[in-house]
């Protein structure tokens, strides 16, 4: 079996109290317009990049023809500024007729014909953040029905221009209204991001019951500062956030920006690796028509994707924040495996970080290691000292197998000490790694 497939097999037996619409048992993957294309509606002067049918169809073509879809990147998500400034005569939202002449239903059919899914954006409030018609409480059912009729697969509900009381009513109401349509529509809630993302103002138990994913924090921008700021917030608050996530309910640290302008290759690898540790939704916001091969191979890294998509769906943690500027992140995976990320906050030169697996809380045993970005394998005993060289603002990312235990039989065979102390076959990494 292909490694990616091995990871993608979903475990139906995991008990969870997530929104009961059956979707997003593993974090969603796809493409989302906002960070890269914002509210560019100037199709006269910028026809290739304006928010229009053409942009979404071209991205769908790239997803389906350049190997993205097979890796799991299936959502094509429209964000703000898609609609007309006015609802239609029946009070329904409608797409801007010039930029989306075929309407949103045409977009959905285009995606479905290619094995992709369509996401749309709305806002709990009088206006969207970009000033387009919002969804006030009285419009929630109508808008949910409209999206279902358009055969939309995901809905992001932003929270500009509403107060806390309206949001407290609106977000659960929309969840019910979407479920009532009978169409499984994944539901992304920006609600917590409007209240600081932390209890007591934010109730993660409730969010897990009504939403499939939620934005906890501010918007990502095309810079390393922004990525680092998001990483810091999510891991400084990991004790609250890790337990909120699970199959069908995910924390969303916002889009992947690899392939844009602000990140180096090292930084792009860092974002990909740490988003995988976080079990974060992987929505790229970049230009798939012109993306360079370096960014593409990072975003298409099968080990990072496999780790992100682990069926147990347990969000990982920062387990060490060293004075040297090295952080260590860890995520438990199915089959008793795990992922480790060594991340450097330094800005001088590659840093040689020395440790052992037992110092990183691993139990006695021998482990197979697979390096996600160099594709090298090795065997490490828990007590063996090793060194990883971590580049400034970069990462080393490892898939770590289950431990092979001491093999006493082999050890004493024939009354003599022979063979290896550990049975390395027990946890061999599948040949597709090699
Ligand atoms: C908010 C959201 C962004 C994006 C914009 C659109 O800022 O957090 O993700 O949807 O609105 O206006």
């Amino acid at each position: 079996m292909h490694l990616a497939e091995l990871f993608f097999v979903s475990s139906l037996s995991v008990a969870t109290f997530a929104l009961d619409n059956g979707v997003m048992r593993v974090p969603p993957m796809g493409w989302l317009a906002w960070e890269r294309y914002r509210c560019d509606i100037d199709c006269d002067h910028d026809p290739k990049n304006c928010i229009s049918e053409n942009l979404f169809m071209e991205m769908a073509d790239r997803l389906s023809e350049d190997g993205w879809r097979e890796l799991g990147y299936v959502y094509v998500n429209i964000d703000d500024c898609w609609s007309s400034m006015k609802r239609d005569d029946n009070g329904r939202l409608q797409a801007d007729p010039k930029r989306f002449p075929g309407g949103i239903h045409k977009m959905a059919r285009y995606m479905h014909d290619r094995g992709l899914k369509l996401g749309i954006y709305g806002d709990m409030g009088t206006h969207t953040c970009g000033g387009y018609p919002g969804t006030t409480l009285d419009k929630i059912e109508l808008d949910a029905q409209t999206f279902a009729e358009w055969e939309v697969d995901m809905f992001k509900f932003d929270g500009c221009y509403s107060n806390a009381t309206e949001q407290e009513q609106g977000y659960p109401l929309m969840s019910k209204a979407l479920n009532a349509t009978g169409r499984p529509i994944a539901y992304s809630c920006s609600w917590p991001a409007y209240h600081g993302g932390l209890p007591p103002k934010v109730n993660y138990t409730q969010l897990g019951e009504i939403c499939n994913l939620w934005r906890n924090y501010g918007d990502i921008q095309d810079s390393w500062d922004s990525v680092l700021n998001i990483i810091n917030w999510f891991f400084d608050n990991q004790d609250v956030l890790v337990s909120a996530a699970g199959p069908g309910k995910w924390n969303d640290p916002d889009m992947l920006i690899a392939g844009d302008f602000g990140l180096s290759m090292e930084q792009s690898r860092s974002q990909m690796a740490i988003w995988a540790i976080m079990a974060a939704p992987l929505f790229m916001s970049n230009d798939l028509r012109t993306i360079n091969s370096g960014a593409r191979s990072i975003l298409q890294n099968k080990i990072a994707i496999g780790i992100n998509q682990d069926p147990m769906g347990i969000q990982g943690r920062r387990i060490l924040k060293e004075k040297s500027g090295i952080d260590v992140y860890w995520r438990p995976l199915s089959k008793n495996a795990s992922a480790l990320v060594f991340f450097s906050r330094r800005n001088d030169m590659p840093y040689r970080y020395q440790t052992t697996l037992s110092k990183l809380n691993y139990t006695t045993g021998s482990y197979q290691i697979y390096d996600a970005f160099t594709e090298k394998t090795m065997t490490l005993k828990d007590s063996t000292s090793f060194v990883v060289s971590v580049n400034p603002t970069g990462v080393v990312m490892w898939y770590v197998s289950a431990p092979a235990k001491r093999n006493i039989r082999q050890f004493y065979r024939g009354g003599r000490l022979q063979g290896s102390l550990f049975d390395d076959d027990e946890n061999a990494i599948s040949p597709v790694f090699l």
Side-chain angles (χ1 to χ4, degrees):
M1 200 189 320
H2 212 262
L3 172 72
E5 288 168 29
L6 196 80
F7 278 118
F8 289 150
V9 173
S10 77
S11 157
L12 296 170
S13 59
V14 182
T16 167
F17 301 101
L19 173 59
D20 193 18
N21 58 3
V23 303
M24 294 187 175
R25 308 301 299 167
V26 293
M29 296 172 66
W31 184 90
L32 204 169
W34 182 255
E35 195 293 313
R36 176 66 181 77
Y37 295 96
R38 309 285 168 140
C39 199
D40 180 353
I41 54 169
D42 189 0
C43 294
D44 291 339
H45 297 103
D46 198 10
K48 288 289 274 181
N49 299 311
C50 66
I51 300 299
S52 66
E53 267 185 19
N54 185 55
L55 181 73
F56 294 97
M57 293 193 299
E58 288 192 356
M59 292 307 162
D61 294 347
R62 301 283 45 88
L63 286 180
S64 58
E65 290 165 31
D66 297 344
W68 300 98
R69 178 187 57 202
E70 288 68 23
L71 290 164
Y73 290 100
V74 294
Y75 284 93
V76 177
N77 288 5
I78 300 171
D79 206 89
D80 204 349
C81 310
W82 60 271
S83 80
S84 161
M85 277 298 185
K86 285 217 161 65
R87 288 175 175 261
D88 72 10
D89 294 344
N90 300 315
R92 289 174 177 251
L93 289 171
Q94 53 184 342
D96 181 274
K98 271 213 178 120
R99 293 180 287 118
F100 293 88
I104 300 303
H105 197 185
K106 176 184 166 192
M107 291 285 95
R109 280 200 306 259
Y110 194 88
M111 302 311 156
H112 298 160
D113 286 349
R114 285 158 184 76
L116 301 171
K117 294 173 187 289
L118 181 73
I120 193 89
Y121 166 100
D123 185 282
M124 169 65 240
T126 53
H127 297 87
T128 72
C129 300
Y132 288 77
T135 304
T136 43
L137 292 170
D138 55 313
K139 292 284 191 300
I140 284 181
E141 276 184 28
L142 177 64
D143 290 355
Q145 279 159 17
T146 306
F147 300 142
E149 277 166 33
W150 288 344
E151 299 185 274
V152 160
D153 304 290
M154 175 170 171
F155 175 57
K156 169 173 165 184
F157 208 19
D158 212 341
C160 276
Y161 304 109
S162 53
N163 61 35
T165 317
E166 289 158 342
Q167 292 176 0
E168 220 168 288
Q169 293 178 285
Y171 279 96
L173 211 59
M174 177 57 85
S175 181
K176 271 198 189 152
L178 290 170
N179 266 353
T181 67
R183 181 176 177 81
I185 299 178
Y187 181 34
S188 167
C189 301
S190 299
W191 189 14
Y194 285 84
H195 299 279
L198 296 173
K201 283 196 178 160
V202 173
N203 177 349
Y204 280 107
T205 311
Q206 183 191 15
L207 279 165
E209 287 162 0
I210 65 166
C211 311
N212 295 111
L213 64 157
W214 46 79
R215 284 280 310 283
N216 317 61
Y217 192 59
D219 292 357
I220 200 161
Q221 309 294 346
D222 193 1
S223 76
W224 177 239
D225 267 5
S226 170
V227 173
L228 195 55
N229 178 265
I230 290 174
I231 292 172
N232 289 339
W233 188 86
F234 275 79
F235 289 96
D236 287 348
N237 294 301
Q238 63 185 358
D239 289 341
V240 168
L241 302 177
V242 165
S243 58
K249 44 177 193 172
W250 310 103
N251 294 302
D252 180 4
D254 216 358
M255 292 155 270
L256 292 169
I257 55 166
D260 292 322
F261 308 100
L263 301 190
S264 69
M265 284 301 138
E266 292 297 332
Q267 293 160 353
S268 302
R269 275 190 277 274
S270 298
Q271 195 194 13
M272 187 70 185
I274 294 173
W275 262 234
I277 290 287
M278 281 195 277
L282 300 181
F283 288 114
M284 307 179 280
S285 191
N286 50 17
D287 189 344
L288 296 174
R289 301 165 297 193
T290 57
I291 190 169
N292 66 57
S293 59
R296 178 198 309 253
S297 73
I298 292 166
L299 291 164
Q300 294 196 344
N301 185 286
K302 286 186 179 161
I303 306 300
I305 292 174
I307 290 167
N308 175 270
Q309 298 283 291
D310 183 80
M312 271 196 333
I314 298 178
Q315 182 173 333
R317 299 177 157 272
R318 182 173 64 204
I319 56 171
L320 280 174
K321 196 172 182 200
E322 303 275 20
K323 285 209 187 73
S324 61
I326 300 296
D327 288 1
V328 184
Y329 299 86
W330 171 81
R331 181 176 171 190
L333 303 173
S334 49
K335 301 189 183 351
N336 219 6
S338 59
L340 277 176
V341 169
F342 305 91
F343 166 59
S344 173
R345 298 173 175 274
R346 299 176 67 96
N347 48 29
D348 52 353
M349 62 186 284
Y351 185 81
R352 290 170 55 77
Y353 179 70
Q354 182 171 5
T355 187
T356 63
L357 287 178
S358 66
K359 278 192 197 151
L360 304 177
N361 307 326
Y362 280 74
T363 54
T364 309
S366 160
Y367 296 81
Q368 306 289 320
I369 309 292
Y370 190 82
D371 186 305
F373 295 113
T374 66
E375 302 184 6
K376 290 200 174 116
T377 53
M378 64 177 156
T379 304
L380 263 188
K381 289 176 191 165
D382 60 287
S383 55
T384 309
S385 179
F386 64 83
V387 172
V388 282
S389 177
V390 196
N391 295 340
T393 68
V395 285
V396 168
M397 180 179 218
W398 285 0
Y399 173 85
V400 184
S401 74
K405 294 279 183 304
R406 254 169 229 281
N407 189 334
I408 305 296
R409 240 179 332 127
Q410 193 180 2
F411 187 57
Y412 285 115
R413 195 186 298 136
R416 286 174 52 208
L417 196 149
Q418 54 170 285
S420 91
L421 193 58
F422 297 100
D423 182 354
D424 289 336
D425 287 345
E426 197 183 318
N427 64 346
I429 295 182
S430 140
V432 291
F433 273 105
L434 308 173

